[in-house]
Amino acid sequence: MPPRRVAAFFDLDKTLIAKSSTLAFSRPFFDEGLLNRRAVLKSSYAQFLFLLSGADADQIDRMRRHITAMCAGWDVEQIRSIVDETLDDIVTPLVFAEAAELIADHTALGHDVVVVSASGEEVVAPIAAALGADHSVATRMEVSEGKYTGEVDFYCFGTGKVEAIRRLAEQHGYDLSRSHAYSDSSTDLPMLECVGNPTAVNPDRKLRKAAAERGWPVLTFVDAVAIRRGRRRRGSPYAVAGAAAGLSAVTAGAVAFKLLRSKR
């Protein structure tokens, strides 16, 4: 029986990118008439709090309810078009160089890369594709006649992420005991606990404490760089403008050493 495959599961916001992926699109949604000025200001304030202190489960749930109610009646294809047209300007400059390098390391080892996010799939899927991920799972909004109803079909948060990861593991033959997971938030403790190689990235206070208690590695990502959109070929370096300059030799060496020590 051939050995089962290994995957690396990445949270998105503040793990791969330096900003809330959903709130980052407030401006283009405003420009297209989907949001009013008050909604943009409210989103900007929420983003400020998100960056300042991190978001706990209650804050994220309130943010989710606010966003889903706000987008009721929006046309799904219009949202996908806006995201595609503005992705390079809005999100790809926010990718952490260290995260891009880590994705390249996993790819070089033959691991599948999976982005797992509580943000909507219309936002997450193109970001994951730009990062060269093999798969992505995200929150799915209910759609009727091509428009969002304001209800949620699947909330990819907390234990919902574990459900999605286990489903992918069954579909693609991943050995979760040998797989990796990365997140910044204590709300992702269930996701981190469901794999054999969890790592805290830019952790909030509660996750930092949990990581220390359990002996998990902790990584700090600080350098945001623009990336060139496009899928990388497996085994080839990931194309990131300036990523090498943004990484110290110590950080790159530590990441590579950690990955090479884990069973492939």
PDB file of all heavy atoms in Angstrom, residues 207-231:
ATOM      1  N   LEU A 207      -3.409  31.920  21.567  1.00  0.00           N
ATOM      2  CA  LEU A 207      -2.731  30.891  20.786  1.00  0.00           C
ATOM      3  C   LEU A 207      -1.259  30.806  21.161  1.00  0.00           C
ATOM      4  O   LEU A 207      -0.687  29.713  21.220  1.00  0.00           O
ATOM      5  CB  LEU A 207      -2.873  31.171  19.290  1.00  0.00           C
ATOM      6  CG  LEU A 207      -2.171  30.159  18.366  1.00  0.00           C
ATOM      7  CD1 LEU A 207      -2.644  28.740  18.632  1.00  0.00           C
ATOM      8  CD2 LEU A 207      -2.387  30.537  16.900  1.00  0.00           C
ATOM      9  N   ARG A 208      -0.627  31.953  21.433  1.00  0.00           N
ATOM     10  CA  ARG A 208       0.781  31.930  21.851  1.00  0.00           C
ATOM     11  C   ARG A 208       0.950  31.123  23.139  1.00  0.00           C
ATOM     12  O   ARG A 208       1.887  30.336  23.282  1.00  0.00           O
ATOM     13  CB  ARG A 208       1.302  33.357  22.041  1.00  0.00           C
ATOM     14  CG  ARG A 208       2.798  33.426  22.336  1.00  0.00           C
ATOM     15  CD  ARG A 208       3.274  34.861  22.401  1.00  0.00           C
ATOM     16  NE  ARG A 208       3.188  35.518  21.103  1.00  0.00           N
ATOM     17  CZ  ARG A 208       4.121  35.412  20.170  1.00  0.00           C
ATOM     18  NH1 ARG A 208       5.210  34.678  20.366  1.00  0.00           N
ATOM     19  NH2 ARG A 208       3.971  36.048  19.026  1.00  0.00           N
ATOM     20  N   LYS A 209       0.018  31.314  24.057  1.00  0.00           N
ATOM     21  CA  LYS A 209       0.065  30.570  25.313  1.00  0.00           C
ATOM     22  C   LYS A 209      -0.132  29.078  25.070  1.00  0.00           C
ATOM     23  O   LYS A 209       0.594  28.238  25.626  1.00  0.00           O
ATOM     24  CB  LYS A 209      -1.013  31.095  26.268  1.00  0.00           C
ATOM     25  CG  LYS A 209      -1.044  30.388  27.609  1.00  0.00           C
ATOM     26  CD  LYS A 209      -2.149  30.934  28.505  1.00  0.00           C
ATOM     27  CE  LYS A 209      -2.198  30.195  29.830  1.00  0.00           C
ATOM     28  NZ  LYS A 209      -3.300  30.683  30.700  1.00  0.00           N
ATOM     29  N   ALA A 210      -1.110  28.740  24.223  1.00  0.00           N
ATOM     30  CA  ALA A 210      -1.369  27.331  23.918  1.00  0.00           C
ATOM     31  C   ALA A 210      -0.163  26.688  23.230  1.00  0.00           C
ATOM     32  O   ALA A 210       0.190  25.533  23.523  1.00  0.00           O
ATOM     33  CB  ALA A 210      -2.612  27.206  23.042  1.00  0.00           C
ATOM     34  N   ALA A 211       0.461  27.428  22.307  1.00  0.00           N
ATOM     35  CA  ALA A 211       1.622  26.899  21.601  1.00  0.00           C
ATOM     36  C   ALA A 211       2.780  26.636  22.566  1.00  0.00           C
ATOM     37  O   ALA A 211       3.478  25.614  22.456  1.00  0.00           O
ATOM     38  CB  ALA A 211       2.054  27.873  20.505  1.00  0.00           C
ATOM     39  N   ALA A 212       2.978  27.554  23.516  1.00  0.00           N
ATOM     40  CA  ALA A 212       4.047  27.376  24.497  1.00  0.00           C
ATOM     41  C   ALA A 212       3.782  26.156  25.377  1.00  0.00           C
ATOM     42  O   ALA A 212       4.697  25.375  25.684  1.00  0.00           O
ATOM     43  CB  ALA A 212       4.172  28.635  25.356  1.00  0.00           C
ATOM     44  N   GLU A 213       2.535  25.984  25.782  1.00  0.00           N
ATOM     45  CA  GLU A 213       2.171  24.856  26.636  1.00  0.00           C
ATOM     46  C   GLU A 213       2.333  23.521  25.922  1.00  0.00           C
ATOM     47  O   GLU A 213       2.677  22.508  26.546  1.00  0.00           O
ATOM     48  CB  GLU A 213       0.730  25.008  27.110  1.00  0.00           C
ATOM     49  CG  GLU A 213       0.509  26.156  28.075  1.00  0.00           C
ATOM     50  CD  GLU A 213      -0.963  26.402  28.386  1.00  0.00           C
ATOM     51  OE1 GLU A 213      -1.825  25.846  27.677  1.00  0.00           O
ATOM     52  OE2 GLU A 213      -1.241  27.146  29.340  1.00  0.00           O
ATOM     53  N   ARG A 214       2.122  23.495  24.601  1.00  0.00           N
ATOM     54  CA  ARG A 214       2.141  22.246  23.851  1.00  0.00           C
ATOM     55  C   ARG A 214       3.428  22.031  23.067  1.00  0.00           C
ATOM     56  O   ARG A 214       3.583  21.027  22.378  1.00  0.00           O
ATOM     57  CB  ARG A 214       0.938  22.213  22.905  1.00  0.00           C
ATOM     58  CG  ARG A 214      -0.371  22.361  23.665  1.00  0.00           C
ATOM     59  CD  ARG A 214      -1.564  22.510  22.752  1.00  0.00           C
ATOM     60  NE  ARG A 214      -2.700  23.072  23.486  1.00  0.00           N
ATOM     61  CZ  ARG A 214      -3.957  23.016  23.111  1.00  0.00           C
ATOM     62  NH1 ARG A 214      -4.247  22.413  21.970  1.00  0.00           N
ATOM     63  NH2 ARG A 214      -4.916  23.545  23.825  1.00  0.00           N
ATOM     64  N   GLY A 215       4.333  23.015  23.156  1.00  0.00           N
ATOM     65  CA  GLY A 215       5.610  22.876  22.473  1.00  0.00           C
ATOM     66  C   GLY A 215       5.526  23.037  20.969  1.00  0.00           C
ATOM     67  O   GLY A 215       6.384  22.534  20.233  1.00  0.00           O
ATOM     68  N   TRP A 216       4.518  23.774  20.493  1.00  0.00           N
ATOM     69  CA  TRP A 216       4.375  24.006  19.064  1.00  0.00           C
ATOM     70  C   TRP A 216       5.347  25.092  18.602  1.00  0.00           C
ATOM     71  O   TRP A 216       5.608  26.062  19.337  1.00  0.00           O
ATOM     72  CB  TRP A 216       2.964  24.452  18.724  1.00  0.00           C
ATOM     73  CG  TRP A 216       1.906  23.416  18.927  1.00  0.00           C
ATOM     74  CD1 TRP A 216       2.089  22.085  19.176  1.00  0.00           C
ATOM     75  CD2 TRP A 216       0.493  23.638  18.897  1.00  0.00           C
ATOM     76  NE1 TRP A 216       0.876  21.461  19.304  1.00  0.00           N
ATOM     77  CE2 TRP A 216      -0.124  22.380  19.138  1.00  0.00           C
ATOM     78  CE3 TRP A 216      -0.308  24.757  18.695  1.00  0.00           C
ATOM     79  CZ2 TRP A 216      -1.498  22.227  19.178  1.00  0.00           C
ATOM     80  CZ3 TRP A 216      -1.691  24.605  18.726  1.00  0.00           C
ATOM     81  CH2 TRP A 216      -2.274  23.345  18.974  1.00  0.00           C
ATOM     82  N   PRO A 217       5.842  25.006  17.372  1.00  0.00           N
ATOM     83  CA  PRO A 217       6.677  26.085  16.834  1.00  0.00           C
ATOM     84  C   PRO A 217       5.850  27.363  16.656  1.00  0.00           C
ATOM     85  O   PRO A 217       4.642  27.319  16.426  1.00  0.00           O
ATOM     86  CB  PRO A 217       7.125  25.541  15.466  1.00  0.00           C
ATOM     87  CG  PRO A 217       6.858  24.079  15.509  1.00  0.00           C
ATOM     88  CD  PRO A 217       5.708  23.867  16.432  1.00  0.00           C
ATOM     89  N   VAL A 218       6.540  28.499  16.761  1.00  0.00           N
ATOM     90  CA  VAL A 218       5.906  29.806  16.540  1.00  0.00           C
ATOM     91  C   VAL A 218       6.738  30.565  15.510  1.00  0.00           C
ATOM     92  O   VAL A 218       7.957  30.710  15.664  1.00  0.00           O
ATOM     93  CB  VAL A 218       5.817  30.625  17.838  1.00  0.00           C
ATOM     94  CG1 VAL A 218       5.261  32.021  17.554  1.00  0.00           C
ATOM     95  CG2 VAL A 218       4.945  29.905  18.864  1.00  0.00           C
ATOM     96  N   LEU A 219       6.084  31.033  14.450  1.00  0.00           N
ATOM     97  CA  LEU A 219       6.749  31.800  13.406  1.00  0.00           C
ATOM     98  C   LEU A 219       6.206  33.224  13.397  1.00  0.00           C
ATOM     99  O   LEU A 219       5.029  33.447  13.675  1.00  0.00           O
ATOM    100  CB  LEU A 219       6.525  31.173  12.033  1.00  0.00           C
ATOM    101  CG  LEU A 219       7.080  29.764  11.806  1.00  0.00           C
ATOM    102  CD1 LEU A 219       6.691  29.260  10.419  1.00  0.00           C
ATOM    103  CD2 LEU A 219       8.588  29.742  11.976  1.00  0.00           C
ATOM    104  N   THR A 220       7.072  34.182  13.060  1.00  0.00           N
ATOM    105  CA  THR A 220       6.667  35.576  12.930  1.00  0.00           C
ATOM    106  C   THR A 220       6.874  36.025  11.495  1.00  0.00           C
ATOM    107  O   THR A 220       7.990  36.000  10.984  1.00  0.00           O
ATOM    108  CB  THR A 220       7.484  36.480  13.874  1.00  0.00           C
ATOM    109  OG1 THR A 220       7.274  36.051  15.227  1.00  0.00           O
ATOM    110  CG2 THR A 220       7.033  37.936  13.748  1.00  0.00           C
ATOM    111  N   PHE A 221       5.783  36.401  10.828  1.00  0.00           N
ATOM    112  CA  PHE A 221       5.833  36.890   9.459  1.00  0.00           C
ATOM    113  C   PHE A 221       5.606  38.398   9.485  1.00  0.00           C
ATOM    114  O   PHE A 221       4.643  38.871  10.084  1.00  0.00           O
ATOM    115  CB  PHE A 221       4.746  36.241   8.604  1.00  0.00           C
ATOM    116  CG  PHE A 221       4.920  34.760   8.385  1.00  0.00           C
ATOM    117  CD1 PHE A 221       3.897  34.011   7.811  1.00  0.00           C
ATOM    118  CD2 PHE A 221       6.087  34.109   8.737  1.00  0.00           C
ATOM    119  CE1 PHE A 221       4.044  32.647   7.597  1.00  0.00           C
ATOM    120  CE2 PHE A 221       6.247  32.737   8.535  1.00  0.00           C
ATOM    121  CZ  PHE A 221       5.211  32.009   7.959  1.00  0.00           C
ATOM    122  N   VAL A 222       6.469  39.156   8.814  1.00  0.00           N
ATOM    123  CA  VAL A 222       6.363  40.610   8.859  1.00  0.00           C
ATOM    124  C   VAL A 222       6.469  41.289   7.505  1.00  0.00           C
ATOM    125  O   VAL A 222       6.003  42.421   7.332  1.00  0.00           O
ATOM    126  CB  VAL A 222       7.438  41.225   9.799  1.00  0.00           C
ATOM    127  CG1 VAL A 222       7.203  40.804  11.242  1.00  0.00           C
ATOM    128  CG2 VAL A 222       8.839  40.826   9.350  1.00  0.00           C
ATOM    129  N   ASP A 223       7.083  40.633   6.521  1.00  0.00           N
ATOM    130  CA  ASP A 223       7.378  41.290   5.251  1.00  0.00           C
ATOM    131  C   ASP A 223       6.301  41.014   4.208  1.00  0.00           C
ATOM    132  O   ASP A 223       6.201  39.901   3.686  1.00  0.00           O
ATOM    133  CB  ASP A 223       8.733  40.818   4.706  1.00  0.00           C
ATOM    134  CG  ASP A 223       9.878  41.217   5.609  1.00  0.00           C
ATOM    135  OD1 ASP A 223       9.841  42.347   6.112  1.00  0.00           O
ATOM    136  OD2 ASP A 223      10.787  40.398   5.816  1.00  0.00           O
ATOM    137  N   ALA A 224       5.477  42.010   3.924  1.00  0.00           N
ATOM    138  CA  ALA A 224       4.450  41.865   2.888  1.00  0.00           C
ATOM    139  C   ALA A 224       5.018  42.309   1.547  1.00  0.00           C
ATOM    140  O   ALA A 224       5.625  43.373   1.442  1.00  0.00           O
ATOM    141  CB  ALA A 224       3.222  42.692   3.242  1.00  0.00           C
ATOM    142  N   VAL A 225       4.816  41.479   0.519  1.00  0.00           N
ATOM    143  CA  VAL A 225       5.360  41.782  -0.801  1.00  0.00           C
ATOM    144  C   VAL A 225       4.310  41.509  -1.867  1.00  0.00           C
ATOM    145  O   VAL A 225       3.368  40.749  -1.665  1.00  0.00           O
ATOM    146  CB  VAL A 225       6.611  40.932  -1.110  1.00  0.00           C
ATOM    147  CG1 VAL A 225       7.738  41.250  -0.173  1.00  0.00           C
ATOM    148  CG2 VAL A 225       6.269  39.447  -1.078  1.00  0.00           C
ATOM    149  N   ALA A 226       4.479  42.130  -3.021  1.00  0.00           N
ATOM    150  CA  ALA A 226       3.595  41.850  -4.153  1.00  0.00           C
ATOM    151  C   ALA A 226       4.004  40.540  -4.797  1.00  0.00           C
ATOM    152  O   ALA A 226       5.186  40.208  -4.862  1.00  0.00           O
ATOM    153  CB  ALA A 226       3.670  42.982  -5.175  1.00  0.00           C
ATOM    154  N   ILE A 227       3.025  39.770  -5.265  1.00  0.00           N
ATOM    155  CA  ILE A 227       3.325  38.519  -5.944  1.00  0.00           C
ATOM    156  C   ILE A 227       2.840  38.601  -7.382  1.00  0.00           C
ATOM    157  O   ILE A 227       1.998  39.424  -7.717  1.00  0.00           O
ATOM    158  CB  ILE A 227       2.666  37.309  -5.253  1.00  0.00           C
ATOM    159  CG1 ILE A 227       1.129  37.402  -5.347  1.00  0.00           C
ATOM    160  CG2 ILE A 227       3.118  37.185  -3.815  1.00  0.00           C
ATOM    161  CD1 ILE A 227       0.418  36.153  -4.876  1.00  0.00           C
ATOM    162  N   ARG A 228       3.378  37.743  -8.217  1.00  0.00           N
ATOM    163  CA  ARG A 228       2.909  37.632  -9.590  1.00  0.00           C
ATOM    164  C   ARG A 228       1.856  36.552  -9.632  1.00  0.00           C
ATOM    165  O   ARG A 228       2.127  35.407  -9.268  1.00  0.00           O
ATOM    166  CB  ARG A 228       4.074  37.300 -10.532  1.00  0.00           C
ATOM    167  CG  ARG A 228       5.085  38.413 -10.643  1.00  0.00           C
ATOM    168  CD  ARG A 228       5.983  38.178 -11.852  1.00  0.00           C
ATOM    169  NE  ARG A 228       6.761  36.952 -11.734  1.00  0.00           N
ATOM    170  CZ  ARG A 228       7.942  36.882 -11.147  1.00  0.00           C
ATOM    171  NH1 ARG A 228       8.465  37.954 -10.599  1.00  0.00           N
ATOM    172  NH2 ARG A 228       8.602  35.737 -11.086  1.00  0.00           N
ATOM    173  N   ARG A 229       0.662  36.923 -10.066  1.00  0.00           N
ATOM    174  CA  ARG A 229      -0.425  35.961 -10.072  1.00  0.00           C
ATOM    175  C   ARG A 229      -0.144  34.859 -11.084  1.00  0.00           C
ATOM    176  O   ARG A 229       0.311  35.091 -12.180  1.00  0.00           O
ATOM    177  CB  ARG A 229      -1.745  36.658 -10.431  1.00  0.00           C
ATOM    178  CG  ARG A 229      -2.907  35.863  -9.871  1.00  0.00           C
ATOM    179  CD  ARG A 229      -4.264  36.270 -10.320  1.00  0.00           C
ATOM    180  NE  ARG A 229      -4.562  37.646 -10.534  1.00  0.00           N
ATOM    181  CZ  ARG A 229      -5.795  38.064 -10.780  1.00  0.00           C
ATOM    182  NH1 ARG A 229      -6.789  37.209 -10.784  1.00  0.00           N
ATOM    183  NH2 ARG A 229      -6.049  39.324 -11.010  1.00  0.00           N
ATOM    184  N   GLY A 230      -0.472  33.643 -10.706  1.00  0.00           N
ATOM    185  CA  GLY A 230      -0.300  32.511 -11.618  1.00  0.00           C
ATOM    186  C   GLY A 230       0.105  31.271 -10.873  1.00  0.00           C
ATOM    187  O   GLY A 230       0.819  31.329  -9.883  1.00  0.00           O
ATOM    188  N   ARG A 231      -0.338  30.155 -11.353  1.00  0.00           N
ATOM    189  CA  ARG A 231      -0.090  28.894 -10.673  1.00  0.00           C
ATOM    190  C   ARG A 231       1.330  28.435 -10.927  1.00  0.00           C
ATOM    191  O   ARG A 231       1.814  28.420 -12.041  1.00  0.00           O
ATOM    192  CB  ARG A 231      -1.082  27.838 -11.175  1.00  0.00           C
ATOM    193  CG  ARG A 231      -0.995  26.546 -10.398  1.00  0.00           C
ATOM    194  CD  ARG A 231      -2.108  25.616 -10.849  1.00  0.00           C
ATOM    195  NE  ARG A 231      -2.050  24.364 -10.138  1.00  0.00           N
ATOM    196  CZ  ARG A 231      -2.522  24.203  -8.905  1.00  0.00           C
ATOM    197  NH1 ARG A 231      -3.089  25.205  -8.286  1.00  0.00           N
ATOM    198  NH2 ARG A 231      -2.434  23.025  -8.301  1.00  0.00           N
TER     199      ARG A 231
END
